[in-house]
């Protein structure tokens, strides 16, 4: 086959260090836009970026040119540097070390977008940790609880 084709939807989620609820309303939309811009720059078309006070969700098309680990490194490194310039409140801001990245069927894209859009309501009932464990269970991921959180 002479042409390389790829169309991989990916749902990424990660929290800030120790899941402190410090992503304030006054910066969250700008942060989400910034993360989407990083995705765009790497040709990982962002479909929806959102989250809550202690974590983010990024739903994008993974570029055929960029490995997932490169996308993650760029997202975390650049957004962490950026948010620290926004105010002294964020001077000690860090993302957690790990992340979750889950493939999504093209038939499920609307469900993921709606899920990300409804984070505020969703997290009135469930913590990020409960949410993340549910993702791991749904995808059949084996994990050791001691190494999931930092």
């Amino acid at each position: 086959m002479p042409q390389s084709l790829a169309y991989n939807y990916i749902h990424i989620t990660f929290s800030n260090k120790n899941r402190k609820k410090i992503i304030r309303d006054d910066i969250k939309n700008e942060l989400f836009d910034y993360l989407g811009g990083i995705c765009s720059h790497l040709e990982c078309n962002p479909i929806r970026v959102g989250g809550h006070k202690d974590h983010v969700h990024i739903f994008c098309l993974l570029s055929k040119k960029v490995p997932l680990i490169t996308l993650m490194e760029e997202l975390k490194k650049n957004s962490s540097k950026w948010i620290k310039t926004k105010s002294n409140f964020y001077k000690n801001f860090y993302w957690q070390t790990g992340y979750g990245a889950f493939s999504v069927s093209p038939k499920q894209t609307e469900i993921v977008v709606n899920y990300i859009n409804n984070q505020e309501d969703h997290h009135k009932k469930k913590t990020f940790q409960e949410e993340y464990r549910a993702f791991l269970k749904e995808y059949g991921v084996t994990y050791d609880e001691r190494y999931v959180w930092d």
Side-chain angles (χ1 to χ4, degrees), residues 26-144:
D26 63 333
I27 198 163
K28 72 178 182 179
N29 289 330
E30 195 176 355
L31 172 63
F32 301 157
D33 288 345
Y34 193 85
L35 290 164
I38 295 168
C39 290
S40 292
H41 178 74
L42 294 172
E43 299 179 28
C44 294
N45 180 36
I47 298 161
R48 184 69 175 119
V49 179
H52 197 54
K53 299 176 185 314
D54 61 351
H55 70 283
V56 296
H57 291 267
I58 300 167
F59 184 42
C60 66
L61 278 166
L62 188 60
S63 170
K64 66 182 179 182
K65 300 175 188 174
V66 177
L68 177 60
I69 189 65
T70 300
L71 173 61
M72 294 310 306
E73 288 170 350
E74 293 299 311
L75 284 166
K76 288 183 174 186
K77 175 181 69 176
N78 290 314
S79 63
S80 182
K81 286 180 184 177
W82 171 82
I83 202 168
K84 288 175 184 177
T85 69
K86 299 313 278 180
S87 83
N88 277 338
F89 179 78
Y90 293 108
K91 69 181 179 183
N92 293 314
F93 183 92
Y94 297 95
W95 293 115
Q96 73 176 87
T97 305
Y99 61 89
F102 307 95
S103 60
V104 176
S105 164
K107 294 177 182 177
Q108 301 293 314
T109 59
E110 190 173 323
I111 292 170
V112 176
V113 169
N114 288 336
Y115 182 81
I116 294 171
N117 285 342
N118 291 309
Q119 284 292 291
E120 293 292 324
D121 290 336
H122 178 72
H123 287 291
K124 289 177 183 173
K125 303 172 203 152
K126 192 181 273 194
T127 67
F128 172 70
Q129 289 160 299
E130 292 167 329
E131 173 185 57
Y132 191 67
R133 285 184 195 108
F135 280 128
L136 296 174
K137 183 177 181 181
E138 180 180 341
Y139 281 86
V141 176
T142 303
Y143 65 97
D144 185 331

